[in-house]
Amino acid sequence: MKNEMRRFFLNLRRELGREKIEEYSDEIYDKLIKTDLYQNAETIFVYVSMDKEINTEKIIRKSLEDGKEIYVPFIEGKEMKAKKLEKYEDLVEGKFKIKTTRSDISIENPDLTLVPGLTFDKNKNRIGYGGGYYDKFLAKTKTRSLGLFASPFESIEIPTEEYDIALDYILTDEGLF
């Protein structure tokens, strides 16, 4: 069931134009920086967007400009670590062609973790790409998790398994819940 949903939402995202993704990304950015979650976070763990994910470049640049410590995913074996990013230009290609940093500085419990995914539901469950990296990270971390999604990617209900971790919040172009 999850694999079928994953395929469906990957295809839906593929069909969305870049302009539409940027529109959703801009609306989410505008809403995010006004939230208490963002305002009160000193350390933020954020994915570096690729393909047609909600774009995080503006979020990363603004966070660094605001003096926040930014951490990005670093994949090591089957684990994902949050490694420090000093400036956007320091990003390099890592495992799975995911942009990351060469920094050795990591954080265990960032104040806020921004999570990508393909679909979400009202219970704040999500379907990612199937690697389980975020579920494993969130299971052992004390952080506030916030999924960034375009509103058309909402599902009625996502089937869950015992290792799936629901997010604390979801932010879409329509708002925070």
Side-chain angles (χ1 to χ4, degrees), residues 9-44:
F9 284 102
L10 270 169
N11 286 332
L12 180 64
R13 190 166 80 184
R14 225 174 272 128
E15 290 170 21
L16 259 188
R18 288 230 178 263
E19 312 75 43
K20 196 65 185 161
I21 291 288
E22 287 309 315
E23 208 176 284
Y24 288 131
S25 297
D26 287 345
E27 288 176 42
I28 289 168
Y29 166 83
D30 290 341
K31 286 176 174 51
L32 174 68
I33 61 170
K34 293 176 186 150
T35 65
D36 286 344
L37 288 169
Y38 173 83
Q39 297 287 326
N40 297 331
E42 291 176 19
T43 55
I44 301 175

Side-chain angles (χ1 to χ4, degrees), residues 115-117 119-120 124-129 134-135 149 158 167:
V115 183
T119 182
F120 68 98
K124 299 178 188 82
N125 293 306
R126 67 181 264 284
I127 290 181
Y129 303 99
Y134 279 90
D135 290 316
F149 294 92
I158 292 174
L167 300 174

Side-chain angles (χ1 to χ4, degrees), residues 3 13 35 45 51-52 73 89 91 119 124 132 136 148 155 164:
N3 283 334
R13 190 166 80 184
T35 65
F45 178 37
D51 299 328
K52 291 185 175 177
E89 293 69 28
L91 288 170
T119 182
K124 299 178 188 82
K136 286 180 213 154
L148 305 182
S155 290
D164 291 327

